[in-house]
Amino acid sequence: METRDDEEQFFPHGAVAFFVLFVALCLVIWYGIYFLMLART
Amino acid sequence: MAVLDKYERRVLISLGATVALFIFSILYAKGRYKSDVPECLPFNKAYTEPKVNKIDSTTYQVFAVAQMWQFQPAEIYVPVGSVVDFFLTSKDVVHGFDIAEKNANMMAVYGNINKTTVKFEKPGVYNITCHEYCGIGHQNMQARVIVNYPEQ
């Protein structure tokens, strides 16, 4: 069973990693289309 | 004075940096993007005769005519660095007109003239395809722009 100390030291590593990867994936997709568009001008 | 939690501050800085990068990219593309926006011209029967007009050594006009199931002219030869004005119309149903590797994408509509300008800076063969289903021979409806080095 968790104690109060455990709760205070909790850090959401999984959620942060998920969020960072999610933003990175969005950037890869967005810039993939972006540079394709620039190459066609 | 309110003090931000360190994690909240990091999230705000990351968010600000991402949004700044996004806005910078859009502004950069706006300056870099030289593609011509297609325009609709008043109908003139002269455009229904397919031909390639050479205005000067690097400026061409193409009167492209789409009909079931071909584009005319089917092969267009221009030198590297050419600026080509495409005037497009259809003799029957609605056709599509997409030049591969270029941001040229128009519809060929009977009784309408659509115009766009494309600059061909690299030699090669640029396929033009119909991307609007127009009947049983739609998949064979193609033309080519052949970009060569000018004769020495």
Side-chain angles (χ1 to χ4, degrees), chain B residues 47-146:
Chain B
Y47 294 114
T48 61
E49 189 68 34
K51 66 171 108 168
V52 179
N53 290 332
K54 183 176 180 179
I55 307 298
D56 62 40
S57 60
T58 57
T59 310
Y60 289 77
Q61 283 184 333
V62 174
F63 292 3
V65 178
Q67 63 185 107
M68 295 178 186
W69 287 279
Q70 60 182 322
F71 290 108
Q72 287 183 319
E75 290 191 337
I76 301 154
Y77 290 86
V78 293
V80 172
S82 294
V83 176
V84 183
D85 290 330
F86 288 92
F87 299 84
L88 177 70
T89 190
S90 169
K91 282 192 172 175
D92 38 50
V93 299
V94 175
H95 298 277
F97 185 90
D98 179 77
I99 304 178
E101 298 176 43
K102 291 285 168 189
N103 280 333
N105 184 337
M106 293 192 288
M107 304 304 288
V109 183
Y110 178 80
N112 278 273
I113 311 298
N114 287 322
K115 181 205 166 215
T116 193
T117 303
V118 181
K119 186 168 187 181
F120 294 95
E121 289 171 321
K122 293 178 186 168
V125 177
Y126 296 82
N127 286 320
I128 299 171
T129 53
C130 176
H131 59 71
E132 178 72 30
Y133 183 71
C134 56
I136 199 163
H138 164 70
Q139 72 279 3
N140 299 321
M141 193 168 165
Q142 295 192 359
R144 298 192 297 175
V145 180
I146 297 157

Side-chain angles (χ1 to χ4, degrees), chain A residues 11 30-31 34 37-38 40-41, chain B residues 7 21-22 25 28 33 101 103:
Chain A
F11 183 80
W30 196 84
Y31 276 101
Y34 175 85
M37 181 193 77
L38 284 186
R40 289 180 176 181
T41 57
Chain B
Y7 295 117
L21 180 69
F22 185 68
S25 301
Y28 175 75
Y33 194 73
E101 298 176 43
N103 280 333

